Amino acid sequence: MRKVDYLIIGQGIAGTMLSWFLLQEGKEVIVIDDAKPNSASRVAAGIINPVSGRRFEPAWMYDTIYPYAKATYLQLSALLQVPVFTTRQIWSVFPSAQLQAAFLQKTTNSVYTQVPSSLRYETFLDQPFGAAIIEGATVNLGSLLPAYRNYLQSLSAMLPEHFELTKLEVSEQGVKYGDLQADKIIFCDGVATTRNPYFERVKFLPNKGEVLLVEIPGLETQDIIKKSITLVPQDNGLFWAGSSFVWDYPDDQPTAAQREALEKSLNQLLKVPYAVKGQLAAVRPSGNDRRPIIGFHPAHPAIGIFNGLGTKGCSLAPYMANHFKDVLAKKADLMPEVDLIRYF
Ligand SMILES: Cc1cc2nc3c(=O)[nH]c(=O)nc-3n(C[C@H](O)[C@H](O)[C@H](O)COP(=O)(O)OP(=O)(O)OC[C@H]3O[C@@H](n4cnc5c(N)ncnc54)[C@H](O)[C@@H]3O)c2cc1C
């Protein structure tokens, strides 16, 4: 029987960050992950954007979480020797005169936005209402997740397999799983948590996102380009083009209907031909109030959760994982907005 402090289920961005901060605290962890190819973290573009949604509201806690995320990703990049974090300008094309006015009104005092003196990408983009520049970033999840997995393996802290809830034994003292014993188990398994009976009271509102991978001959940029669809340059020369939001879906696979909708948005943005080279789909793990879901089951204190990162996993995960670690180390009280207990 191997005894550790924490069993962590899932190595998306949530399990990666939580295990990282617990290891930094000197805790022994084992992460169990089945590497689902279309998990949210494996399909996401990794965008960090200070402005939220179509109403251009400042992203929740951004001034606090962004510097924290940046420092954490740069630290991991140095440790793992892979590119993880890139600051990028978001070239945000206004879809209408009304949205242009709304943007200017909402962002007058923002340090993260500016109105450019001249238009970029005139050959490529249809932008009759102009554009703004937002200071954002991307996290290269495609390099971070596998490199961190190897790091965990080098510490004998990774079990690359599917976790079966039926094999979990829970007591007041802790949990047992096969020949593993831990003080606590923390579910970081993304949308799979919605099927976990321990968390059936949580009001999850998962939503599916689809993405196209497109080639746009001649368009070379490091910027993110955003209108009703967002283009993110990839290492292989393609653009990640997404993503849709669907709340009612039979499965997590790509669909012809969303391909059509995404292509419609691409046709409204691009003045040049493009070629679709791939299509991806995944489900975002969200709670109904769009706040992270963190804490322990009130009746089973050995069972925890770190979930609900919604559309903002890359910006929220580092700060929230460190906060959870501080709570576990009894250095902080859990922020009420994120506390699992709000659902019980
Ligand atoms: C199309 C799309 C685009 C997105 N774009 C962005 C973006 O640009 N920026 C941003 O910040 N966020 C984005 N998001 C949201 C982001 O992806 C999520 O917030 C984040 O990835 C959630 O991470 P997670 O670790 O909680 O869950 P997940 O990434 O789903 O990770 C869960 C992990 O648990 C594992 N797992 C599940 N069940 C088991 C089991 N029983 N046994 C073992 N392992 C298991 C899975 O294999 C997986 O590795 C996007 C999401 C989608 C779908």
Side-chain angles (χ1 to χ4, degrees):
M1 181 78 57
R2 181 170 165 200
K3 166 93 176 64
V4 296
D5 297 304
Y6 298 102
L7 264 189
I8 293 180
I9 310 306
Q11 192 236 324
I13 195 63
T16 294
M17 286 299 145
L18 186 60
S19 60
W20 168 246
F21 285 111
L22 288 171
L23 287 168
Q24 298 305 293
E25 189 73 8
K27 299 296 177 192
E28 203 173 338
V29 304
I30 290 199
V31 181
I32 304 181
D33 184 87
D34 61 7
K36 188 175 190 291
N38 71 329
S39 69
S41 302
R42 291 184 182 88
V43 168
I47 302 165
I48 293 183
N49 185 345
V51 178
S52 260
R54 295 198 66 185
R55 294 182 178 275
F56 309 120
E57 299 292 344
W60 183 59
M61 286 185 68
Y62 193 77
D63 290 339
T64 307
I65 62 175
Y66 175 69
Y68 205 84
K70 181 176 178 180
T72 305
Y73 291 126
L74 290 175
Q75 191 185 9
L76 280 167
S77 183
L79 172 83
L80 303 171
Q81 294 290 297
V82 291
V84 173
F85 183 84
T86 311
T87 54
R88 291 183 198 270
Q89 293 196 322
I90 303 172
W91 181 256
S92 184
V93 178
F94 299 125
S96 67
Q98 288 88 332
L99 285 171
Q100 179 193 41
F103 180 91
L104 296 175
Q105 192 204 353
K106 281 281 170 56
T107 59
T108 322
N109 299 320
S110 170
V111 294
Y112 303 112
T113 61
Q114 49 173 301
V115 177
S117 50
S118 61
L119 275 187
R120 296 176 188 169
Y121 312 115
E122 288 201 86
T123 322
F124 295 93
L125 306 183
D126 190 26
Q127 39 191 352
F129 304 104
I133 295 171
I134 303 173
E135 303 298 337
T138 52
V139 178
N140 190 335
L141 293 158
S143 63
L144 170 63
L145 297 181
Y148 185 74
R149 192 178 187 87
N150 289 341
Y151 172 74
L152 287 176
Q153 255 152 359
S154 74
L155 301 177
S156 302
M158 160 60 64
L159 265 191
E161 63 183 47
H162 188 72
F163 169 84
E164 294 286 348
L165 188 61
T166 49
K167 295 185 185 156
L168 183 71
E169 295 171 46
V170 182
S171 70
E172 293 229 330
Q173 289 69 46
V175 296
K176 277 189 196 160
Y177 184 73
D179 59 0
L180 295 173
Q181 201 181 344
D183 290 342
K184 295 188 186 294
I185 185 167
I186 304 178
F187 287 92
C188 301
D189 50 350
V191 75
T193 305
T194 59
R195 297 184 293 273
N196 186 326
Y198 288 109
F199 301 114
E200 65 184 5
R201 296 185 63 166
V202 176
K203 292 191 174 62
F204 288 107
L205 198 59
N207 62 84
K208 181 176 169 183
E210 295 200 34
V211 178
L212 298 179
L213 298 172
V214 295
E215 187 176 63
I216 308 172
L219 179 57
E220 284 176 21
T221 181
Q222 288 307 305
D223 292 350
I224 294 166
I225 295 172
K226 184 172 166 53
K227 198 177 176 186
S228 57
I229 192 165
T230 303
L231 302 177
V232 185
Q234 304 293 290
D235 293 342
N236 57 7
L238 299 180
F239 286 86
W240 181 105
S243 50
S244 56
F245 284 81
V246 176
W247 280 267
D248 191 12
Y249 46 87
D251 58 40
D252 62 2
Q253 295 305 304
T255 62
Q258 286 307 315
R259 174 170 172 158
E260 197 181 318
L262 290 166
E263 285 213 52
K264 193 172 165 200
S265 298
L266 272 177
N267 293 333
Q268 283 167 359
L269 173 64
L270 294 175
K271 293 199 283 191
V272 293
Y274 62 88
V276 176
K277 297 290 181 183
Q279 187 176 356
L280 307 169
V283 180
R284 302 175 183 90
S286 302
N288 65 336
D289 59 5
R290 298 184 189 180
R291 292 288 175 259
I293 301 166
I294 303 178
F296 287 94
H297 192 287
H300 303 284
I303 298 182
I305 185 171
F306 181 40
N307 203 294
L309 297 177
T311 57
K312 302 213 175 293
C314 291
S315 46
L316 285 168
Y319 183 87
M320 290 298 158
N322 184 57
H323 175 57
F324 197 9
K325 178 268 293 171
D326 281 345
V327 172
L328 291 168
K330 302 202 180 345
K331 293 180 193 164
D333 293 329
L334 198 50
M335 290 166 52
E337 298 101 305
V338 304
D339 196 337
L340 166 70
I341 209 73
R342 69 192 187 278
Y343 291 109
F344 281 80

